[in-house]
Amino acid sequence: MELIEMREATEKDYKAARAAAEKIFWPNHSGGGEYIWFVNSDRGIGYGYIGDRFNWAYAKGRTRREAVQKAIDGGFRAGQHNW
């Protein structure tokens, strides 16, 4: 099996990740909760249930910037999807 080398992230990748970032309110057991940012698919934003997109996310974070950086570090690239 041949390994595919991952290319370096470009500004286009960062822009795509920022555009694909979504925010969801995640409740906790005490009745409160917090907002969590997540980056799903470059092609998946707005499709399906938000809970499903959240579960299939490339990365999650407390801020948009954190979620985007984690997604890029995890292999997110523009024009691809994780479905």
Side-chain angles (χ1 to χ4, degrees):
M1 184 160 141
E2 185 178 331
L3 293 176
I4 299 172
E5 187 175 327
M6 186 173 19
R7 66 175 173 75
E8 287 293 317
T10 65
E11 184 60 28
K12 181 179 179 182
D13 298 322
Y14 280 93
K15 286 181 180 179
R18 283 191 298 269
E22 298 181 73
K23 183 169 61 170
I24 187 172
F25 183 78
W26 200 258
N28 60 26
H29 297 291
S30 64
E34 64 180 321
Y35 282 97
I36 299 175
W37 283 91
F38 67 97
V39 177
N40 194 346
S41 170
D42 187 25
R43 300 177 188 162
I45 191 165
Y47 293 100
Y49 296 107
I50 192 167
D52 290 339
R53 294 194 309 273
F54 178 76
N55 289 331
W56 297 329
Y58 273 99
K60 301 166 185 161
R62 291 186 177 269
T63 65
R64 184 181 212 157
R65 179 177 288 201
E66 179 184 353
V68 166
Q69 188 60 54
K70 284 181 176 180
I72 293 293
D73 292 346
F76 180 96
R77 295 298 182 265
Q80 68 184 27
H81 57 87
N82 62 341
W83 295 354

